[in-house]
Amino acid sequence: MSFQASPAFVVVMGVAGCGKSSLGSALAQAEGLPLIEGDDHHSPASREKMRQGIALTDADREGWLTTLGQLLQAQPQGAVLTCSALKRAYRDRLRNACPGLRFVFLEIDRANAGQRVAARAGTHFFSSALVDSQFATLESPVGETGVLRLDALLDLPTLQQQASAWLATKETA
């Protein structure tokens, strides 16, 4: 009798500057899963708004969330998605598209997030002027089923190991 592991679907989430892309890449590599970089799928209009320091609205995110859900569905073997997923409604949209979806929440304080976003100016379209709006929009997922909270200030290998260990448990909380 052979045991077939169920596919892992996980979103690495949090505010700008928390390290979603770094952990998402490390986790995807460690788990042998494809990486879906959420930022790559924003519309040109949304990218321009963010470049100008204008926060996205729910309407701006509508098509983006639909696309991300479709991208998850297109990966039957599992996938790691990086996505801010700031509101519960956004997370629920992704859960509806991909039942069993789990979330790794990288928690970070405002000062450190601001420093990290400012440090990548010129290499990323996201304006540091938007960090405050990210915190204002964030509805913490702590307490939701299928969420692991990690301290975003830990080093990347530790974060990846903690996330991989959690995924291996198949626990949802």
Side-chain angles (χ1 to χ4, degrees):
M1 181 176 190
S2 67
F3 173 75
Q4 187 105 24
S6 58
F9 291 92
V10 63
V11 176
V12 178
M13 64 157 294
V15 298
C18 71
K20 293 181 294 289
S21 294
S22 297
L23 178 57
S25 179
L27 188 59
Q29 184 174 3
E31 298 298 317
L33 293 170
L35 174 66
I36 302 167
E37 178 62 61
D39 280 347
D40 291 346
H41 301 281
H42 280 294
S43 71
S46 289
R47 291 171 76 89
E48 185 56 30
K49 280 181 84 169
M50 289 184 280
R51 189 179 342 275
Q52 293 177 19
I54 302 168
L56 298 183
T57 64
D58 289 350
D60 292 326
R61 291 184 176 99
E62 182 72 26
W64 179 63
L65 290 166
T66 298
T67 297
L68 296 181
Q70 292 168 343
L71 290 168
L72 287 169
Q73 291 170 347
Q75 300 293 335
Q77 77 281 15
V80 175
L81 167 66
T82 61
C83 173
S84 55
L86 297 175
K87 290 185 178 181
R88 177 148 193 168
Y90 305 162
R91 296 186 293 275
D92 287 346
R93 290 251 336 251
L94 294 171
R95 286 178 178 115
N96 288 337
C98 185
L101 184 63
R102 297 163 82 180
F103 291 80
V104 174
F105 172 45
L106 289 173
E107 193 169 54
I108 191 169
D109 62 271
R110 165 67 184 87
N112 279 295
Q115 288 173 351
R116 287 180 174 190
V117 171
R120 69 182 190 198
T123 63
H124 194 279
F125 64 85
F126 194 86
S127 169
S128 60
L130 291 172
V131 173
D132 286 335
S133 74
Q134 292 264 294
F135 280 90
T137 303
L138 177 64
E139 296 171 2
S140 175
V142 174
E144 294 175 15
T145 301
V147 174
L148 173 67
R149 183 189 65 78
L150 294 177
D151 180 349
L153 300 181
L154 294 173
D155 64 274
L156 185 57
T158 299
L159 289 169
Q160 180 270 304
Q161 290 165 2
Q162 290 179 351
S164 288
W166 178 66
L167 289 175
T169 67
K170 304 296 180 200
E171 291 177 14
T172 59

